Amino acid sequence: MSLDAGRRDKRIVVEIRSVETDDYGGEVETWSEAAKPWADVIYGAGAEQRAAAQQGASQIASFEFPRDSRTRDINPTDHRILFDGGIWNITAKQELEANEGIRVTAIRAAP
């Protein structure tokens, strides 16, 4: 499947997690913007929707976007996506063929 630039019509924000130490020695998780690519957003099929519902989430989607220096190191542990007014937790990452881009699967976090 080719990553057609015409389908990349949604702006997403990819955030990276960092852990800092507060004044009392406790850990504080913070998020900051890592990339802001244009993406093709593909909402999940019935089976994926049921799996998301079992996990208490409302939606699942795949996000396809170009691979570059800001997006190539994305991983489910340290990154998440902001899109459509929600936080999407990344569950999987796949490199698309012929270096065409990246596809991540994510579940929208329950509010």
Side-chain angles (χ1 to χ4, degrees), residues 13 15 18 23 27 31 51 66 94-95 111:
V13 175
E15 289 190 325
S18 61
D23 294 339
E27 292 185 348
W31 294 89
Q94 176 185 2
E95 299 283 337

Side-chain angles (χ1 to χ4, degrees), residues 89-108:
N89 296 313
I90 298 172
T91 59
K93 174 187 170 186
Q94 176 185 2
E95 299 283 337
L96 299 176
E97 61 186 52
N99 203 26
E100 291 181 356
I102 295 170
R103 176 185 300 132
V104 297
T105 303
I107 296 175
R108 186 174 186 149

